[in-house]
Amino acid sequence: MAIIITDECINCGACEPECPNTAIYEGADDWRYKDGTSLNGKVVLPNSKEVDAEEAQEPISDEIYYIVPDKCTECQGFHEEPQCAAVCPVDCCVPDDAHVETEEELNAKQRFMHPDA
């Protein structure tokens, strides 16, 4: 399952540089699938969604840092635990019940975004 940042976020930014997938963005910032990944041009994501990796996407939150569920792998393939949660001073990086994925699915997503890792 992906991680979500709750509204208890104090916008400290500690989580953002820790994400190996560049799935964390400051509130109101646009995001792209290509940011921090090997994705380019038109791609079909593991969830079968077709996207342009280079196209700017609307922010998920305008107020606090947010995590893009399609890019979050809970740090599978990189670290033992989600790094955003490990560094968060207010424990607002928690599992997202709306985006439940198995360890296999998370690893497949990681390999898809970082085939050379």
Side-chain angles (χ1 to χ4, degrees):
M1 100 179 29
I3 303 295
I4 190 170
I5 298 175
T6 68
D7 59 6
E8 295 164 1
C9 176
I10 59 172
N11 285 316
C12 71
C15 56
E16 184 181 23
E18 300 302 319
C19 182
N21 299 311
T22 311
I24 302 174
Y25 295 84
E26 187 172 358
D29 281 358
D30 289 346
W31 62 276
R32 291 170 175 76
Y33 284 96
K34 74 172 189 163
D35 297 343
T37 72
S38 296
L39 303 178
N40 285 300
K42 301 227 184 262
V43 296
V44 178
L45 303 177
N47 64 10
S48 301
K49 186 189 312 183
E50 294 181 36
V51 300
D52 182 341
E54 298 170 32
E55 186 176 310
Q57 305 292 318
E58 292 288 318
I60 293 173
S61 172
D62 288 333
E63 317 232 338
I64 59 173
Y65 278 81
Y66 63 90
I67 299 174
V68 176
D70 283 348
K71 293 178 70 179
C72 179
T73 63
E74 290 187 40
C75 294
Q76 288 287 323
F78 294 105
H79 304 287
E80 295 288 316
E81 64 181 341
Q83 295 301 286
C84 57
V87 301
C88 182
V90 293
D91 296 326
C92 66
C93 297
V94 298
D96 182 358
D97 292 333
H99 296 95
V100 178
E101 297 167 293
T102 66
E103 189 173 324
E104 264 181 16
E105 291 170 318
L106 293 169
N107 282 319
K109 190 189 316 182
Q110 187 271 343
R111 288 189 303 274
F112 174 77
M113 291 188 294
H114 306 280
D116 299 326

